[in-house]
Amino acid sequence: DAGVTQSPTHLIKTRGQHVTLRCSPISGHKSVSWYQQVLGQGPQFIFQYYEKEERGRGNFPDRFSARQFPNYSSELNVNALLLGDSALYLCASSWSGGGEQFFGPGTRLTVL
Amino acid sequence: AQSVTQLDSQVPVFEEAPVELRCNYSSSVSVYLFWYVQYPNQGLQLLLKYLSGSTLVESINGFEAEFNKSQTSFHLRKPSVHISDTAEYFCAVSYNFNKFYFGSGTKLNVKP
């Protein structure tokens, strides 16, 4: 079975631009969470979605938004990119949001 | 707000020696606790978790962690490490499965 997939794997943007990152959960999983991992730090929680509804939100500005589609895939959108948004963005899926989360390989975003 | 502290950013240890990776959290309510491992060039994988019941939890590859409520700790231990245990280890907590908080990680370097 395929694990959590994320696209693209790498992305380079300039300040002020907008970016969309995509995540496909493991088949049957209904919950998707997004994390930001800055180099040298642990993952920081951004959002959790379950059955297309937002269930949790971390301490991130409104420039960050997400949504979940009927097939349970998800998009993370970041507007007005800043240099500090450069990070590895991780997606994790789970059956219902509780218990074990399965992580994807991440999208490396570089903002110049 | 919850926070997770991993006191050691790097732990060097010789093969077959015991190791302890420390994790402390701050929370006034009941929490769920997790250890994740990230091998070089791979994604995050769940190593073990404490949800309820016995305070000592074990993984399939010989690691164990003990939940200590009075000391708000969830230290990870292994009596004899192998070269293949070289990885970065992350402690995480959640109190409702809607938000997860990760520590900054501990890099375990097992030397021959």
Side-chain angles (χ1 to χ4, degrees):
Chain A
D1 286 340
V4 177
T5 59
Q6 294 185 242
S7 64
T9 54
H10 296 86
L11 202 53
I12 299 175
K13 292 284 190 179
T14 57
R15 283 177 296 175
Q17 284 190 311
H18 160 272
V19 69
T20 298
L21 310 181
R22 296 178 175 82
C23 171
S24 293
I26 291 172
S27 178
H29 285 191
K30 298 182 178 180
S31 179
V32 168
S33 298
W34 286 96
Y35 295 85
Q36 180 195 67
Q37 187 175 16
V38 174
L39 197 63
Q41 297 182 21
Q44 296 276 322
F45 175 76
I46 309 176
F47 289 109
Q48 186 186 85
Y49 277 78
Y50 174 66
E51 290 278 17
K52 296 167 286 181
E53 297 288 329
E54 182 184 301
R55 289 181 76 182
R57 173 185 284 257
N59 188 24
F60 279 80
D62 292 342
R63 298 185 296 108
F64 289 76
S65 64
R67 55 179 176 169
Q68 186 177 33
F69 299 100
N71 66 353
Y72 303 111
S73 67
S74 178
E75 284 182 355
L76 175 69
N77 295 284
V78 187
N79 292 322
L81 285 167
L82 303 174
L83 296 179
D85 295 331
S86 295
L88 180 68
Y89 288 84
L90 297 167
C91 173
S93 77
S94 61
W95 293 103
S96 62
E100 182 171 0
Q101 294 188 80
F102 294 81
F103 282 82
T107 294
R108 173 73 62 185
L109 173 65
T110 301
V111 182
L112 302 177
Chain B
Q2 295 190 37
S3 68
V4 180
T5 302
Q6 290 185 245
L7 297 170
D8 305 299
S9 60
Q10 297 193 48
V11 173
V13 63
F14 287 105
E15 194 173 20
E16 298 184 5
V19 71
E20 178 179 81
L21 307 184
R22 296 178 290 173
C23 173
N24 287 87
Y25 64 93
S26 62
S27 176
S28 59
V29 299
S30 296
V31 295
Y32 306 107
L33 297 154
F34 307 83
W35 275 100
Y36 283 83
V37 59
Q38 188 169 32
Y39 297 105
N41 301 316
Q42 295 187 30
L44 284 163
Q45 302 173 34
L46 181 67
L47 186 61
L48 45 75
K49 61 187 177 185
Y50 170 78
L51 302 181
S52 64
S54 173
T55 57
L56 184 66
V57 291
E58 299 176 351
S59 72
I60 59 174
N61 57 354
F63 282 93
E64 63 179 30
E66 185 162 18
F67 168 52
N68 188 319
K69 187 176 182 179
S70 62
Q71 297 186 5
T72 59
S73 68
F74 191 54
H75 300 332
L76 182 70
R77 301 183 183 96
K78 188 169 185 179
S80 176
V81 294
H82 304 289
I83 295 287
S84 60
D85 293 324
T86 294
E88 189 160 19
Y89 293 79
F90 293 93
C91 180
V93 304
S94 179
Y95 67 92
N96 62 4
F97 292 120
N98 290 346
K99 293 185 181 182
F100 289 79
Y101 300 87
F102 280 78
S104 55
T106 297
K107 292 181 179 177
L108 177 64
N109 184 16
V110 182
K111 304 176 180 180

